[in-house]
PDB file of all heavy atoms in Angstrom:
ATOM      1  N   ARG N 583      15.005  15.159  -3.966  1.00  0.00           N
ATOM      2  CA  ARG N 583      14.619  16.068  -2.879  1.00  0.00           C
ATOM      3  C   ARG N 583      14.174  15.323  -1.616  1.00  0.00           C
ATOM      4  O   ARG N 583      13.712  15.948  -0.659  1.00  0.00           O
ATOM      5  CB  ARG N 583      13.485  16.974  -3.362  1.00  0.00           C
ATOM      6  CG  ARG N 583      13.889  17.943  -4.474  1.00  0.00           C
ATOM      7  CD  ARG N 583      12.748  18.902  -4.838  1.00  0.00           C
ATOM      8  NE  ARG N 583      11.607  18.207  -5.409  1.00  0.00           N
ATOM      9  CZ  ARG N 583      10.416  18.111  -4.812  1.00  0.00           C
ATOM     10  NH1 ARG N 583      10.208  18.670  -3.632  1.00  0.00           N
ATOM     11  NH2 ARG N 583       9.425  17.469  -5.400  1.00  0.00           N
ATOM     12  N   LEU N 584      14.312  14.026  -1.612  1.00  0.00           N
ATOM     13  CA  LEU N 584      13.895  13.224  -0.466  1.00  0.00           C
ATOM     14  C   LEU N 584      15.092  12.808   0.380  1.00  0.00           C
ATOM     15  O   LEU N 584      16.141  12.438  -0.139  1.00  0.00           O
ATOM     16  CB  LEU N 584      13.180  11.955  -0.944  1.00  0.00           C
ATOM     17  CG  LEU N 584      11.992  12.119  -1.866  1.00  0.00           C
ATOM     18  CD1 LEU N 584      11.422  10.750  -2.232  1.00  0.00           C
ATOM     19  CD2 LEU N 584      10.914  12.982  -1.245  1.00  0.00           C
ATOM     20  N   ARG N 585      14.878  12.881   1.697  1.00  0.00           N
ATOM     21  CA  ARG N 585      15.878  12.346   2.616  1.00  0.00           C
ATOM     22  C   ARG N 585      15.146  11.522   3.661  1.00  0.00           C
ATOM     23  O   ARG N 585      14.198  11.999   4.284  1.00  0.00           O
ATOM     24  CB  ARG N 585      16.668  13.451   3.308  1.00  0.00           C
ATOM     25  CG  ARG N 585      17.746  12.919   4.251  1.00  0.00           C
ATOM     26  CD  ARG N 585      18.615  14.054   4.767  1.00  0.00           C
ATOM     27  NE  ARG N 585      17.956  14.808   5.829  1.00  0.00           N
ATOM     28  CZ  ARG N 585      18.159  14.609   7.140  1.00  0.00           C
ATOM     29  NH1 ARG N 585      18.971  13.674   7.546  1.00  0.00           N
ATOM     30  NH2 ARG N 585      17.538  15.360   8.017  1.00  0.00           N
ATOM     31  N   VAL N 586      15.581  10.285   3.826  1.00  0.00           N
ATOM     32  CA  VAL N 586      14.969   9.385   4.793  1.00  0.00           C
ATOM     33  C   VAL N 586      15.997   9.021   5.848  1.00  0.00           C
ATOM     34  O   VAL N 586      17.158   8.771   5.528  1.00  0.00           O
ATOM     35  CB  VAL N 586      14.456   8.100   4.111  1.00  0.00           C
ATOM     36  CG1 VAL N 586      14.013   7.083   5.148  1.00  0.00           C
ATOM     37  CG2 VAL N 586      13.309   8.412   3.183  1.00  0.00           C
ATOM     38  N   THR N 587      15.562   9.020   7.099  1.00  0.00           N
ATOM     39  CA  THR N 587      16.408   8.533   8.179  1.00  0.00           C
ATOM     40  C   THR N 587      15.712   7.362   8.863  1.00  0.00           C
ATOM     41  O   THR N 587      14.482   7.239   8.815  1.00  0.00           O
ATOM     42  CB  THR N 587      16.693   9.630   9.215  1.00  0.00           C
ATOM     43  OG1 THR N 587      15.456  10.043   9.804  1.00  0.00           O
ATOM     44  CG2 THR N 587      17.386  10.826   8.572  1.00  0.00           C
ATOM     45  N   LEU N 588      16.495   6.517   9.471  1.00  0.00           N
ATOM     46  CA  LEU N 588      15.975   5.346  10.175  1.00  0.00           C
ATOM     47  C   LEU N 588      16.738   5.179  11.475  1.00  0.00           C
ATOM     48  O   LEU N 588      17.971   5.175  11.476  1.00  0.00           O
ATOM     49  CB  LEU N 588      16.118   4.101   9.311  1.00  0.00           C
ATOM     50  CG  LEU N 588      15.640   2.781   9.934  1.00  0.00           C
ATOM     51  CD1 LEU N 588      14.129   2.826  10.183  1.00  0.00           C
ATOM     52  CD2 LEU N 588      15.996   1.603   9.029  1.00  0.00           C
ATOM     53  N   ASP N 589      16.002   5.055  12.562  1.00  0.00           N
ATOM     54  CA  ASP N 589      16.588   4.777  13.875  1.00  0.00           C
ATOM     55  C   ASP N 589      15.945   3.494  14.394  1.00  0.00           C
ATOM     56  O   ASP N 589      14.845   3.515  14.925  1.00  0.00           O
ATOM     57  CB  ASP N 589      16.328   5.954  14.824  1.00  0.00           C
ATOM     58  CG  ASP N 589      17.039   5.796  16.159  1.00  0.00           C
ATOM     59  OD1 ASP N 589      17.349   4.649  16.553  1.00  0.00           O
ATOM     60  OD2 ASP N 589      17.263   6.815  16.825  1.00  0.00           O
ATOM     61  N   THR N 590      16.637   2.391  14.207  1.00  0.00           N
ATOM     62  CA  THR N 590      16.053   1.103  14.593  1.00  0.00           C
ATOM     63  C   THR N 590      15.966   0.955  16.116  1.00  0.00           C
ATOM     64  O   THR N 590      15.130   0.199  16.603  1.00  0.00           O
ATOM     65  CB  THR N 590      16.846  -0.055  13.999  1.00  0.00           C
ATOM     66  OG1 THR N 590      18.227   0.092  14.345  1.00  0.00           O
ATOM     67  CG2 THR N 590      16.702  -0.096  12.491  1.00  0.00           C
ATOM     68  N   SER N 591      16.810   1.680  16.853  1.00  0.00           N
ATOM     69  CA  SER N 591      16.728   1.578  18.312  1.00  0.00           C
ATOM     70  C   SER N 591      15.450   2.227  18.835  1.00  0.00           C
ATOM     71  O   SER N 591      14.899   1.802  19.842  1.00  0.00           O
ATOM     72  CB  SER N 591      17.948   2.240  18.959  1.00  0.00           C
ATOM     73  OG  SER N 591      17.947   3.639  18.746  1.00  0.00           O
ATOM     74  N   LYS N 592      14.986   3.250  18.130  1.00  0.00           N
ATOM     75  CA  LYS N 592      13.741   3.926  18.501  1.00  0.00           C
ATOM     76  C   LYS N 592      12.557   3.447  17.659  1.00  0.00           C
ATOM     77  O   LYS N 592      11.440   3.914  17.851  1.00  0.00           O
ATOM     78  CB  LYS N 592      13.895   5.438  18.348  1.00  0.00           C
ATOM     79  CG  LYS N 592      14.908   6.054  19.290  1.00  0.00           C
ATOM     80  CD  LYS N 592      14.985   7.564  19.110  1.00  0.00           C
ATOM     81  CE  LYS N 592      15.988   8.169  20.081  1.00  0.00           C
ATOM     82  NZ  LYS N 592      16.120   9.639  19.901  1.00  0.00           N
ATOM     83  N   LYS N 593      12.826   2.547  16.718  1.00  0.00           N
ATOM     84  CA  LYS N 593      11.796   2.062  15.802  1.00  0.00           C
ATOM     85  C   LYS N 593      11.068   3.256  15.169  1.00  0.00           C
ATOM     86  O   LYS N 593       9.837   3.369  15.246  1.00  0.00           O
ATOM     87  CB  LYS N 593      10.815   1.132  16.505  1.00  0.00           C
ATOM     88  CG  LYS N 593      11.422  -0.213  16.911  1.00  0.00           C
ATOM     89  CD  LYS N 593      10.351  -1.167  17.446  1.00  0.00           C
ATOM     90  CE  LYS N 593      10.876  -2.580  17.596  1.00  0.00           C
ATOM     91  NZ  LYS N 593      12.060  -2.719  18.448  1.00  0.00           N
ATOM     92  N   SER N 594      11.841   4.127  14.561  1.00  0.00           N
ATOM     93  CA  SER N 594      11.237   5.301  13.937  1.00  0.00           C
ATOM     94  C   SER N 594      11.992   5.689  12.678  1.00  0.00           C
ATOM     95  O   SER N 594      13.173   5.368  12.503  1.00  0.00           O
ATOM     96  CB  SER N 594      11.202   6.475  14.917  1.00  0.00           C
ATOM     97  OG  SER N 594      12.516   6.908  15.199  1.00  0.00           O
ATOM     98  N   SER N 595      11.292   6.402  11.811  1.00  0.00           N
ATOM     99  CA  SER N 595      11.858   6.886  10.560  1.00  0.00           C
ATOM    100  C   SER N 595      11.275   8.256  10.277  1.00  0.00           C
ATOM    101  O   SER N 595      10.187   8.600  10.747  1.00  0.00           O
ATOM    102  CB  SER N 595      11.511   5.930   9.420  1.00  0.00           C
ATOM    103  OG  SER N 595      11.928   6.445   8.164  1.00  0.00           O
ATOM    104  N   SER N 596      12.003   9.046   9.516  1.00  0.00           N
ATOM    105  CA  SER N 596      11.467  10.321   9.077  1.00  0.00           C
ATOM    106  C   SER N 596      11.712  10.501   7.591  1.00  0.00           C
ATOM    107  O   SER N 596      12.684   9.983   7.047  1.00  0.00           O
ATOM    108  CB  SER N 596      12.092  11.486   9.851  1.00  0.00           C
ATOM    109  OG  SER N 596      13.466  11.602   9.513  1.00  0.00           O
ATOM    110  N   LEU N 597      10.796  11.210   6.966  1.00  0.00           N
ATOM    111  CA  LEU N 597      10.906  11.555   5.546  1.00  0.00           C
ATOM    112  C   LEU N 597      10.924  13.062   5.445  1.00  0.00           C
ATOM    113  O   LEU N 597      10.009  13.732   5.930  1.00  0.00           O
ATOM    114  CB  LEU N 597       9.721  10.997   4.761  1.00  0.00           C
ATOM    115  CG  LEU N 597       9.609  11.450   3.295  1.00  0.00           C
ATOM    116  CD1 LEU N 597      10.751  10.878   2.471  1.00  0.00           C
ATOM    117  CD2 LEU N 597       8.261  11.036   2.692  1.00  0.00           C
ATOM    118  N   LEU N 598      11.956  13.592   4.838  1.00  0.00           N
ATOM    119  CA  LEU N 598      12.083  15.028   4.599  1.00  0.00           C
ATOM    120  C   LEU N 598      11.967  15.291   3.113  1.00  0.00           C
ATOM    121  O   LEU N 598      12.676  14.672   2.320  1.00  0.00           O
ATOM    122  CB  LEU N 598      13.432  15.538   5.120  1.00  0.00           C
ATOM    123  CG  LEU N 598      13.843  16.959   4.710  1.00  0.00           C
ATOM    124  CD1 LEU N 598      12.899  17.991   5.343  1.00  0.00           C
ATOM    125  CD2 LEU N 598      15.285  17.247   5.090  1.00  0.00           C
ATOM    126  N   ILE N 599      11.067  16.167   2.754  1.00  0.00           N
ATOM    127  CA  ILE N 599      10.953  16.638   1.374  1.00  0.00           C
ATOM    128  C   ILE N 599      11.433  18.085   1.363  1.00  0.00           C
ATOM    129  O   ILE N 599      10.851  18.945   2.049  1.00  0.00           O
ATOM    130  CB  ILE N 599       9.506  16.565   0.855  1.00  0.00           C
ATOM    131  CG1 ILE N 599       8.956  15.152   0.988  1.00  0.00           C
ATOM    132  CG2 ILE N 599       9.438  17.026  -0.609  1.00  0.00           C
ATOM    133  CD1 ILE N 599       7.478  15.023   0.626  1.00  0.00           C
ATOM    134  N   THR N 600      12.480  18.353   0.623  1.00  0.00           N
ATOM    135  CA  THR N 600      13.011  19.712   0.577  1.00  0.00           C
ATOM    136  C   THR N 600      12.416  20.484  -0.595  1.00  0.00           C
ATOM    137  O   THR N 600      11.977  19.892  -1.591  1.00  0.00           O
ATOM    138  CB  THR N 600      14.538  19.702   0.450  1.00  0.00           C
ATOM    139  OG1 THR N 600      14.893  19.008  -0.765  1.00  0.00           O
ATOM    140  CG2 THR N 600      15.180  18.994   1.633  1.00  0.00           C
ATOM    141  N   ALA N 601      12.392  21.799  -0.448  1.00  0.00           N
ATOM    142  CA  ALA N 601      11.930  22.691  -1.519  1.00  0.00           C
ATOM    143  C   ALA N 601      10.621  22.188  -2.112  1.00  0.00           C
ATOM    144  O   ALA N 601      10.526  21.919  -3.320  1.00  0.00           O
ATOM    145  CB  ALA N 601      13.008  22.834  -2.585  1.00  0.00           C
ATOM    146  N   SER N 602       9.611  22.062  -1.282  1.00  0.00           N
ATOM    147  CA  SER N 602       8.353  21.430  -1.706  1.00  0.00           C
ATOM    148  C   SER N 602       7.682  22.189  -2.851  1.00  0.00           C
ATOM    149  O   SER N 602       7.867  23.396  -3.030  1.00  0.00           O
ATOM    150  CB  SER N 602       7.401  21.321  -0.530  1.00  0.00           C
ATOM    151  OG  SER N 602       7.062  22.617  -0.064  1.00  0.00           O
ATOM    152  N   ARG N 603       6.902  21.427  -3.609  1.00  0.00           N
ATOM    153  CA  ARG N 603       6.146  21.949  -4.747  1.00  0.00           C
ATOM    154  C   ARG N 603       4.675  21.597  -4.569  1.00  0.00           C
ATOM    155  O   ARG N 603       4.348  20.638  -3.868  1.00  0.00           O
ATOM    156  CB  ARG N 603       6.657  21.329  -6.047  1.00  0.00           C
ATOM    157  CG  ARG N 603       8.156  21.472  -6.253  1.00  0.00           C
ATOM    158  CD  ARG N 603       8.644  20.567  -7.350  1.00  0.00           C
ATOM    159  NE  ARG N 603      10.098  20.665  -7.547  1.00  0.00           N
ATOM    160  CZ  ARG N 603      10.811  19.837  -8.285  1.00  0.00           C
ATOM    161  NH1 ARG N 603      10.210  18.827  -8.924  1.00  0.00           N
ATOM    162  NH2 ARG N 603      12.118  20.006  -8.409  1.00  0.00           N
ATOM    163  N   ALA N 604       3.817  22.332  -5.234  1.00  0.00           N
ATOM    164  CA  ALA N 604       2.382  22.049  -5.150  1.00  0.00           C
ATOM    165  C   ALA N 604       2.096  20.600  -5.571  1.00  0.00           C
ATOM    166  O   ALA N 604       1.198  19.944  -5.031  1.00  0.00           O
ATOM    167  CB  ALA N 604       1.596  23.024  -6.020  1.00  0.00           C
ATOM    168  N   ALA N 605       2.881  20.085  -6.506  1.00  0.00           N
ATOM    169  CA  ALA N 605       2.685  18.714  -6.978  1.00  0.00           C
ATOM    170  C   ALA N 605       3.029  17.669  -5.921  1.00  0.00           C
ATOM    171  O   ALA N 605       2.706  16.480  -6.094  1.00  0.00           O
ATOM    172  CB  ALA N 605       3.523  18.467  -8.240  1.00  0.00           C
TER     173      ALA N 605
END
Side-chain angles (χ1 to χ4, degrees):
Chain N
R583 294 185 295 113
L584 305 180
R585 181 173 78 97
V586 171
T587 62
L588 179 64
D589 186 336
T590 53
S591 67
K592 295 181 179 178
K593 291 187 169 57
S594 67
S595 174
S596 67
L597 172 68
L598 168 66
I599 304 174
T600 60
S602 63
R603 307 166 181 169

